[in-house]
Amino acid sequence: MSVTSTDQVQDPAATSEQDAAAEATMAEAFAEEDLSIPEDVPSADDPSSRANPRDLESAGFSLDEFAALLSKYDYNFKPGDIVNGTVFALESKGAMIDIGAKTAAFMPMQEVSINRVEGLGDVLQPGEVREFFIMSEENEDGQLALSIRRIEYQRAWERVRQLQKEDATIYSEVFATNRGGALVRVEGLRGFIPGSHISTRKPKEELVADFLPLKFLEVDEERNRLVLSHRRALVERKMNRLEVGEVVIGTVRGIKPYGAFIDIGGVSGLLHISEISHEHIETPHSVLNVNDQMKVMIIDLDAERGRISLSTKALEPEPGDMLTDPQKVFDKAEEMAARYKQMLLEQAEEGEEAYGMMG
């Protein structure tokens, strides 16, 4: 016979009473709490509840400003660009430069300057910020090659073109000579002075380390030609103190079939064969000798071409005196020059009168 313990068997009626009491307690708790939806919360179908991806006012800048900011940091480097960079390492073969690319850029030693330098430290310092020229596309390691020399080269040509436009006189040191002339540097560029445009009594080889006044003859970046004239610079300086009709003393420095070159105070003037005498002359050698001293009159000054034209014919008291009595020409030179100037003045006045009558 089995026996049922009162501790293990529950009364069904008692259980139902307990569940009912628990439910009543929970209902009272929910009744006390306000579970209604606030009025200021938009419903799911309200368009204002959706985020506006184009509304960036809360970010502090507009959409255009945001696009510009992205563009600013969208690095797209290409050859020919000039960019700012920071030097962060100097190495034996070149410098490492931070230009904001994914990999540090490299500038070879030979690209550090248009001028010859002993080492990178002569031009660059770690931490220095300056402009660099991008020479090439990225290599297989994603590295760009940079140059300072290319920037200096471009700006040097711009500078010499401006100097030529201004017809400026510059001073430059001769660093070498060759069969054709002398070599100088202008704004870091290599320039050439043809032998025919060197006007000095010094042997050409002794000009090295001398500073010469120079004028520009040719500036051609495409052909890399920079040609200068020492003679033009001297002639211009001398021309500022000379005038047509003036008598000067010169020395014969060279004789050619077409005339003689006369040194007048450091510059050379041409005494053409047709200006030696009123009489016909077969060759200048029949009248003149190298190193002869003589009086000549200036009949033309061409500053643009650096030429001074001379005459002894205008100083002859009588036609042919340069052939028969050159001393007479020497003695009467100033008197004949005064007559020549008076003749020029009368011709100018006649020209003005004729022009006035035409008007």
Side-chain angles (χ1 to χ4, degrees), residues 89-316:
L90 301 182
E91 301 179 351
S92 59
K93 295 183 178 180
M96 303 300 295
I97 313 295
D98 178 13
I99 61 171
K102 58 186 178 182
T103 304
F106 180 71
M107 185 179 65
M109 175 68 183
Q110 63 268 26
E111 294 296 330
V112 71
S113 177
I114 196 173
N115 298 305
R116 185 173 298 175
V117 296
E118 295 297 326
L120 288 171
D122 295 343
V123 179
L124 299 175
Q125 296 298 323
E128 178 183 358
V129 178
R130 63 179 300 161
E131 290 182 327
F132 297 90
F133 179 93
I134 297 178
M135 292 195 298
S136 64
E137 301 280 358
E138 294 180 350
N139 61 16
E140 61 273 12
D141 298 323
Q143 190 175 63
L144 292 163
L146 305 181
S147 172
I148 294 175
R149 186 179 68 85
R150 305 292 179 91
I151 296 177
E152 293 179 340
Y153 186 80
Q154 290 176 354
R155 292 175 180 171
W157 280 108
E158 291 173 4
R159 177 64 177 152
V160 295
R161 280 194 294 269
Q162 182 61 33
L163 289 170
Q164 183 192 37
K165 184 178 179 181
E166 296 170 358
D167 195 28
T169 298
I170 63 167
Y171 284 80
S172 187
E173 182 182 10
V174 176
F175 69 86
T177 61
N178 56 30
R179 289 179 58 190
L183 300 174
V184 295
R185 293 195 185 279
V186 182
E187 299 290 326
L189 301 172
R190 182 167 167 166
F192 177 66
I193 312 171
S196 60
H197 281 268
I198 298 174
S199 189
T200 177
R201 297 179 184 178
K202 269 188 176 184
K204 186 171 53 181
E205 297 73 19
E206 295 181 13
L207 291 175
V208 175
D210 281 2
F211 280 84
L212 303 179
L214 303 168
K215 303 286 285 187
F216 291 93
L217 292 179
E218 183 179 357
V219 176
D220 189 338
E221 181 178 359
E222 290 186 3
R223 298 169 62 198
N224 196 31
R225 283 177 59 85
L226 181 58
V227 186
L228 305 111
S229 173
H230 175 231
R231 177 168 59 83
R232 270 198 61 193
L234 290 182
V235 169
E236 182 184 78
R237 182 191 300 173
K238 188 72 176 177
M239 283 181 178
N240 291 333
R241 302 191 296 267
L242 296 176
E243 61 181 32
V244 173
E246 181 179 357
V247 174
V248 293
I249 296 177
T251 303
V252 178
R253 293 301 181 192
I255 300 176
K256 302 290 183 182
Y258 52 84
F261 289 98
I262 314 296
D263 184 319
I264 51 173
V267 296
S268 182
L270 175 64
L271 175 61
H272 194 270
I273 187 171
S274 63
E275 288 295 333
I276 294 177
S277 176
H278 284 88
E279 294 292 331
H280 176 71
I281 296 175
E282 292 292 337
T283 172
H285 286 89
S286 62
V287 183
L288 305 173
N289 296 298
V290 174
N291 294 326
D292 281 353
Q293 276 203 334
M294 55 192 302
K295 286 184 179 180
V296 291
M297 188 175 73
I298 298 168
I299 58 172
D300 187 54
L301 296 168
D302 187 343
E304 185 174 343
R305 293 189 295 175
R307 293 182 180 178
I308 301 175
S309 297
L310 307 171
S311 175
T312 51
K313 179 172 75 174
L315 301 179
E316 288 184 318

